[in-house]
Amino acid sequence: MGLNGRASPIQYNSTRFKDLFLTHGLSLIYILYYKPQTPSLFGEIMKAPPVKKKEYSLRVEDREPGDVILFVSGRIALDDLNDFTSDARSILQNKPLKKLMVDIAGVNYLDSAGTLALFQLEEEQTARSASVTFHGVTDEAKGILNLLDKKAHHIPPLVPERKPPNILEQMGEATRLLLNDFFEVLSFVGELILALISSLRRPRSMRWNDVLYYMKRAGVDGLPIVGLISILMGLIMAFMSSLQLKQFGANIYVASLVAIAMVKELGPIMTAILVAGRSGSAFAAEIGTMIVNDEVNALKAMGFEPIQFLAVPKLLATIIVVPLLTLYADLFAILGGLVVGVVGLDLTAYSYIQETREGIAVFDIVASLVKSGVFAGLIAGIGCQRGFQVHEGAESVGTFTTSAVVSAIFLIIIADSAFAIILNYVR
Amino acid sequence: MNKEPIIEVENLTTRYGDTTILENVSFRVSRGEIFMLLGASGCGKSTLLKHLNGLLRPSSGRIIVNGTDITAADEDTMREVQKTIGVLFQADALFSSMTIFENIALPLYEYTDLTPGMIDRIVKMKLALVNLPGYENHMPSELSGGMRKRAALARAMALDPLLLFFDEPWAGLDPVTAAELDILIRSINTAMGTTMVIVTQELASIFGLAQRVIMLDKSVRGIIAQGDPTELKEHSQDLKVINYFNRKATGGD
Ligand SMILES: Nc1ncnc2c1ncn2[C@@H]1O[C@H](COP(=O)(O)OP(=O)(O)OP(=O)(O)O)[C@@H](O)[C@H]1O
Ligand SMILES: [Mg+2]
């Protein structure tokens, strides 16, 4: 977003051909020449861990049968937790125990994990119905013994008030969520259309700078990738079909095949999917992040209508730009076909273009523009709607961004099927 | 002190879903005073603030801001009210894709017919006021937390509001910056007579700035004390209030 047409600092660099080839070429070289260095890594892992010197010592003294003193001395810390517990257990294992006195006067270092080891010892021996007492507790040790709650691991976790739902409930819940989502999308679309109409009625209230900015982001910045993919599609389509058509000497029909397939179906759909991936996701992420940072609340508190302010410029920009992108995609695909036709099929450029012009009618082009306009509305609408669904946390921004792309592509396919049927009757 | 109320809250009840956060809360804020909302974490201070600036609508009760009932106001009425208030969010909420200048200029462009030259002058004046002169071309991400907070204050004051709302403005500021913010808030209050409603836990600022406070508590879902903070500290009988003002733990001593 930018006032005065200023570009946002957070924007994607436009993918230039040069960059594309540079990065892809480089990664290819990298893959070819990459020699995995596994042997040394493997060696590292297989090396046995260094044997650790014990820094504590345990000594048992029987005063009477069943009455035992355990002298603990040295350092008990986090690293010693396992060893200490098992050592203490094994040293006391075969003794009949009624009274156990643990003398820790010789302990010179005790941290919270060490304290835990002592508590564990107490608990284990108490479970064997011995009475356990600690002796020789220094002031420092007393401090840490008192600070820690030895029953902490018995405290049951607080249960948030939700029962694990059974499968029927889960299905019901899923259905409810799906329906809810559907109605939310519908009501958002309603609000968005109202906001768009009211903005168009009062053009002064429209944020035209933002519209231009998003036209650049969704349109101009998308030119390289859309062009590249289209020309490749044109090449591939022409090449593959020519293999068949050549056999019948029907080379010239390659031109109309590419033109019809592209203008009627592939151009709008492919452009829309690319825009959904590039811009639909960006819209959702931008609005979602603004919600997380309270920026949307700030807008509301200033008396702005977030949908009007954030969603309408994106919607309008996308609706303007996607049909143009579609035309551009069609042209590049035809160009790709032309290359195959001229180089591979001995057609003249003139005859190829002539055949292309005969293959498509004005009606087809208009229909394809209308179609891509509708796709554009779906992409921008669902992108913004998913963005506004973000409630809290960076994680939900990611979730809804993904959802924006998936839902957009789904809706594009549905709408395309609907168009296929409608156009069939309109014609 | 001027006793005419600028905010009147009557029997406000707020809920999130089935959980009632506040119940039957009533209080008034007088014109021109520095008024603070206190209380333990999670008692509903931010929620209450969002009701006062129209971001949330109450479940029942009445809220009157500057003579307009905003309880069920339509959007146009609400917008008129919101033009007269400024809000400073805890997370500064500057628009991260705009420069500081654009952030502050946005409400001016949107709500006034001033010429760009005039708007430029106003923005520079506000930036100087919050002690950020010359920072208009920085992006929010290029400023420190304290500077962002001041920039957000400049934005909140862009339209010279009658009322400023702050949610924990001192959180995360170093003592010196916090003291500077104290001085700034007080001087804006005295110089322009702006009413300030501030959610905070910062004892020094409470005693230094607040003319009146209300303290909310979760157990009663409402107000447990109100009045002058120094008086409350000395004369309150409520253990919770005493502990709060003396920064004392409830558990042992
Ligand atoms: N969007 C929400 N949905 C449901 N419950 C919420 C929501 N926002 C806040 N709450 C609940 O409302 C209560 C009050 O929250 P609020 O944010 O107003 O507290 P607070 O007093 O501002 O706390 P703090 O000082 O920690 O900011 C909390 O118990 C919180 O769990
Ligand atoms: Mg809060």
Side-chain angles (χ1 to χ4, degrees), chain B residues 1-127:
Chain B
M1 191 197 313
N2 194 339
K3 285 293 173 199
E4 186 201 345
I6 188 164
I7 299 179
E8 293 168 79
V9 175
E10 286 167 21
N11 299 323
L12 175 78
T13 299
T14 72
R15 296 199 183 87
Y16 283 117
D18 296 333
T19 347
T20 306
I21 308 294
L22 296 172
E23 209 166 7
N24 279 328
V25 171
S26 305
F27 65 92
R28 283 168 178 216
V29 180
S30 308
R31 209 171 276 275
E33 78 177 338
I34 299 182
F35 183 90
M36 296 199 185
L37 298 170
L38 323 178
S41 191
C43 66
K45 304 179 297 292
S46 301
T47 308
L48 179 55
L49 202 68
K50 282 185 184 153
H51 280 83
L52 300 183
N53 58 35
L55 289 177
L56 292 174
R57 299 295 176 103
S59 307
S60 68
R62 239 154 64 97
I63 302 173
I64 297 171
V65 175
N66 199 22
T68 314
D69 189 336
I70 62 163
T71 321
D74 60 55
E75 287 183 0
D76 289 335
T77 319
M78 189 62 101
R79 187 165 308 127
E80 287 309 310
V81 174
Q82 280 169 332
K83 275 188 215 172
T84 66
I85 68 181
V87 184
L88 187 67
F89 290 85
Q90 180 169 350
D92 71 61
L94 290 168
F95 303 121
S96 50
S97 58
M98 300 182 186
T99 63
I100 300 297
F101 177 90
E102 289 163 349
N103 263 285
I104 303 173
L106 179 68
L108 292 167
Y109 272 113
E110 213 68 25
Y111 289 135
T112 66
D113 290 325
L114 297 172
T115 60
M118 203 62 210
I119 288 180
D120 193 59
R121 283 188 60 183
I122 295 179
V123 171
K124 286 193 170 140
M125 186 185 77
K126 301 275 155 164
L127 276 175

Side-chain angles (χ1 to χ4, degrees), chain A residues 327-395:
Chain A
L327 275 186
Y328 167 87
D330 293 347
L331 279 179
F332 266 71
I334 289 170
L335 189 68
L338 179 72
V339 170
V340 171
V342 172
V343 176
L345 299 174
D346 296 330
L347 297 173
T348 62
Y350 179 79
S351 60
Y352 188 96
I353 292 171
Q354 204 56 38
E355 182 63 25
T356 300
R357 282 180 55 186
E358 274 165 30
I360 44 181
V362 174
F363 176 85
D364 296 329
I365 295 177
V366 173
S368 119
L369 290 183
V370 171
K371 200 152 98 168
S372 53
V374 171
F375 292 167
L378 292 173
I379 295 165
I382 202 80
C384 295
Q385 194 264 343
R386 290 294 190 246
F388 280 113
Q389 272 189 321
V390 170
H391 288 301
E392 65 274 323
E395 188 215 345

Side-chain angles (χ1 to χ4, degrees), chain A residues 81-153:
Chain A
L81 197 51
N82 279 332
D83 292 345
F84 179 86
T85 313
S86 59
D87 283 357
R89 194 178 297 145
S90 62
I91 214 170
L92 295 170
Q93 202 164 35
N94 301 320
K95 291 185 185 298
L97 265 186
K98 278 214 209 63
K99 273 171 71 180
L100 173 68
M101 201 197 252
V102 183
D103 190 317
I104 57 171
V107 173
N108 55 22
Y109 179 89
L110 186 66
D111 65 6
S112 70
T115 316
L116 181 70
L118 294 178
F119 286 157
Q120 174 112 6
L121 171 68
E122 178 183 1
E123 203 176 293
E124 277 180 22
Q125 300 308 325
T126 314
R128 288 174 61 193
S129 59
S131 77
V132 183
T133 49
F134 286 102
H135 284 259
V137 185
T138 60
D139 283 347
E140 289 165 42
K142 203 177 276 169
I144 193 163
L145 285 173
N146 285 339
L147 181 66
L148 299 176
D149 181 354
K150 60 175 109 172
K151 299 271 182 312
H153 66 288

Side-chain angles (χ1 to χ4, degrees), chain A residues 1 3 6 8-9 204-205 207 290 293-295 297-305 309, chain B residues 55 75 79 82 87 89 91 93-99 102 106 109-111 113 139 155:
Chain A
M1 181 186 335
L3 221 67
R6 182 187 292 275
S8 151
R204 236 184 68 99
S205 75
R207 303 181 53 75
M290 289 185 74
N293 291 340
D294 261 346
E295 291 174 42
N297 270 335
L299 274 181
K300 282 190 206 159
M302 289 176 171
F304 292 112
E305 187 55 56
F309 195 97
Chain B
L55 289 177
E75 287 183 0
R79 187 165 308 127
Q82 280 169 332
V87 184
F89 290 85
L94 290 168
F95 303 121
S96 50
S97 58
M98 300 182 186
T99 63
E102 289 163 349
L106 179 68
Y109 272 113
E110 213 68 25
Y111 289 135
D113 290 325
M139 301 302 293
R155 183 180 70 183

